[in-house]
Amino acid sequence: MIGSEGGIMLRNQWETIISVAAEGGSIKLLGKEQSPGQWVFRKLVNEIQFDDLEDEAINSSSHDRIDYEARVVNKSWEEALQILDRYPWHKLSPREVHPGFRKQLWAAFQAKRKGDPRSSSHRPTRWLKVCFPDYSQKIVKLAEWLQQANHTTILTGAGMSTESNIPDFRSKEGWWKNIDPLMVATTEALANNYDLFHEFYSVRLKALEGCSPHKGHDILADWERKGFIQAIATQNVDGLHPDAGSRNVYELHGSIHKIRCQSCGINASIEQFYSKVACSHCGGKLRPGVVLFGEILPEDIWSASLSHIRKSDLVIVIGTSLEVYPASQLPQMTEGKTVYINIESNVHGTDFDLVINGKAGEVLGQVDDLLF
Ligand code: BV8
């Protein structure tokens, strides 16, 4: 809805939402937050060639320049964009973008670029810098690669889940800080030290109760729906990728939630595992459906992961130390570009085309902001 409240509003209450400039002129969209989240908008044009019937000349500052301030006030973002759209704003150089409107303006700019792909006068780098001044060139590069890739596979490790409050394995606070993995996560422990084995996996299962996917998991699920990624191969056994809605997930090391009998393979419940009963069918030992050290990865899951990696032109490896064979080999099996995202710096730096140092959820969130 358009009203005409221009006359009663004071200039100094308005904030610049966007300012774009070309040689000799500028267009500003001004905004005023009337109540939290409720903005009204108007434009300010400083260039005689952008004259417009709804504008009122308010200041004749020099010979050839006139400032035009719109009297109309636009009560929705869509209306504000329509006002901007009367000008070739996306082809001009952005000077200033309001921090609260960066994502909307970037999306609007990308929509304009999409609608006019052959125009050479867009300035995406300048727009990126103004809309996302804190984002590194690496984030921008990854977003570009993701946008251009035909087939992208994600490989995740325990670092993908730490932001869901699930410890990883090899970090200072990881599961292996006090326990030798080869003492518990092995077929040997299952056969000969069931008490320790059972206690370790009961604690692991309990630690997962109440844990849910974080923003990074959600973004990956969204990217799959939008066609940006084709598959996730994960070493994680926590099931958070499927929980977030990702469909094409290959759980290389199985699932901790799927309890089965080691002897006859029949399924059992987590409650039966917790209560440490023997298999009701054959009396065998119950165990979680993870791949223990010394066991072979499920053939179908391994082959499917490998096939995705081989046809990928982009592989993004997130939150893994890449210390466990054979998952550690997957990034080398692509001819595509490889990206490594890890909270620690200087890990596997030289093996990848791009290394991004940061938290999985934050890095994915920033990349997501740039996609269109
Ligand atoms: C097999 C059980 C064929 C499930 C796990 C000697 C040399 C080389 C290889 C071997 C060797 N001796 C034996 C082997 C083979 C062995 C192996 O690799 N051993 C290694 C450790 C030396 N592999 C096997 O046995 C595999 N099977 O090879 O079959 C075979 C079989 C028999 C005989 C011959 C051949 C089976 C592997 C089974 C793996 N199962 N555990 C469970 O309990 O969960 S391994 C365990 O590590 C987890 O399951 C996990 O999936 C896996 C990988 O760990 P990561 O995910 O990488 O986690 P990690 O903590 O290490 O790293 C996390 C990273 O994230 C860190 O870098 C951290 O900085 C970062 N991070 C943290 N937070 C964040 C973050 N990054 C970003 N954002 C954050 N917020």
Side-chain angles (χ1 to χ4, degrees), residues 1 29 58 60 121 205:
M1 227 188 94
L29 182 69
I58 57 164
S60 185
S121 51
L205 273 164

Side-chain angles (χ1 to χ4, degrees), residues 68-79:
Y68 286 90
E69 181 159 318
R71 281 186 298 173
V72 290
V73 173
N74 301 278
K75 292 188 175 166
S76 75
W77 176 243
E78 288 69 30
E79 285 171 355

Side-chain angles (χ1 to χ4, degrees), residues 236-280:
N236 298 342
V237 296
D238 52 35
L240 291 188
H241 287 302
D243 286 354
S246 290
R247 287 163 178 264
N248 220 9
V249 180
Y250 299 96
E251 294 180 312
L252 295 160
H253 294 168
S255 164
I256 198 168
H257 303 287
K258 292 182 185 153
I259 307 294
R260 68 168 195 267
C261 170
Q262 170 69 356
S263 303
C264 71
I266 204 166
N267 293 336
S269 67
I270 290 180
E271 287 65 37
Q272 284 172 307
F273 181 72
Y274 279 150
S275 55
K276 217 176 175 181
V277 295
C279 170
S280 56

Side-chain angles (χ1 to χ4, degrees), residues 288-306:
V290 299
V291 178
L292 300 170
F293 285 106
E295 290 183 323
I296 293 171
L297 276 60
E299 179 55 36
D300 52 341
I301 289 176
W302 174 256
S303 313
S305 304
L306 194 53

Side-chain angles (χ1 to χ4, degrees), residues 71-350:
R71 281 186 298 173
V72 290
V73 173
N74 301 278
K75 292 188 175 166
S76 75
W77 176 243
E78 288 69 30
E79 285 171 355
L81 273 184
Q82 281 169 18
I83 293 291
L84 271 186
D85 283 349
R86 292 193 201 140
Y87 309 97
W89 63 275
H90 59 290
K91 294 181 183 175
L92 306 182
S93 187
R95 293 278 187 262
E96 189 184 342
V97 166
H98 191 289
F101 287 86
R102 284 173 180 161
K103 283 185 196 171
Q104 286 105 307
L105 279 162
W106 176 247
F109 171 70
Q110 294 299 356
K112 283 281 177 195
R113 276 180 87 193
K114 245 183 174 174
D116 187 11
R118 276 173 300 172
S119 172
S120 58
S121 51
H122 300 136
R123 294 175 168 84
T125 313
R126 176 84 195 135
W127 277 92
L128 266 172
K129 277 194 185 135
V130 175
C131 290
F132 301 100
D134 311 328
Y135 288 13
S136 71
Q137 282 308 302
K138 290 182 173 188
I139 297 285
V140 174
K141 185 169 271 192
L142 176 51
E144 277 170 7
W145 286 358
L146 195 54
Q147 201 102 41
Q148 289 159 4
N150 291 317
H151 200 100
T152 297
T153 303
I154 307 284
L155 172 64
T156 62
M160 182 71 215
S161 294
T162 55
E163 287 156 79
S164 289
N165 297 321
I166 301 169
D168 63 6
F169 292 90
R170 293 167 186 82
S171 296
K172 271 185 238 143
E173 297 306 314
W175 285 110
W176 304 142
K177 74 177 169 186
N178 296 321
I179 318 159
D180 177 357
L182 298 177
M183 291 290 290
V184 284
T186 61
T187 46
E188 216 278 319
L190 173 60
N192 302 322
N193 200 347
Y194 188 68
D195 286 347
L196 183 65
F197 178 92
H198 182 270
E199 188 190 343
F200 176 67
Y201 281 105
S202 296
V203 171
R204 291 269 304 279
L205 273 164
K206 285 248 164 20
L208 287 175
E209 286 174 6
C211 289
S212 53
H214 62 78
K215 174 184 157 190
H217 292 103
D218 294 342
I219 287 171
L220 291 178
D222 190 46
W223 287 358
E224 182 187 38
R225 282 190 291 272
K226 290 178 175 159
F228 287 121
I229 66 170
Q230 279 58 51
I232 299 176
T234 184
Q235 299 165 83
N236 298 342
V237 296
D238 52 35
L240 291 188
H241 287 302
D243 286 354
S246 290
R247 287 163 178 264
N248 220 9
V249 180
Y250 299 96
E251 294 180 312
L252 295 160
H253 294 168
S255 164
I256 198 168
H257 303 287
K258 292 182 185 153
I259 307 294
R260 68 168 195 267
C261 170
Q262 170 69 356
S263 303
C264 71
I266 204 166
N267 293 336
S269 67
I270 290 180
E271 287 65 37
Q272 284 172 307
F273 181 72
Y274 279 150
S275 55
K276 217 176 175 181
V277 295
C279 170
S280 56
H281 187 67
C282 74
K285 289 172 180 155
L286 297 184
R287 59 164 289 181
V290 299
V291 178
L292 300 170
F293 285 106
E295 290 183 323
I296 293 171
L297 276 60
E299 179 55 36
D300 52 341
I301 289 176
W302 174 256
S303 313
S305 304
L306 194 53
S307 158
H308 275 289
I309 293 272
R310 285 196 169 131
K311 61 180 159 198
S312 288
D313 42 10
L314 178 63
V315 172
I316 307 174
V317 177
I318 308 173
T320 169
S321 62
L322 287 175
E323 285 193 21
V324 175
Y325 176 89
S328 55
Q329 308 302 298
L330 286 173
Q332 304 158 29
M333 292 173 173
T334 182
E335 288 182 6
K337 293 190 179 84
T338 52
V339 181
Y340 186 73
I341 300 171
N342 199 294
I343 202 168
E344 285 173 28
S345 50
N346 302 324
V347 207
H348 296 285
T350 53

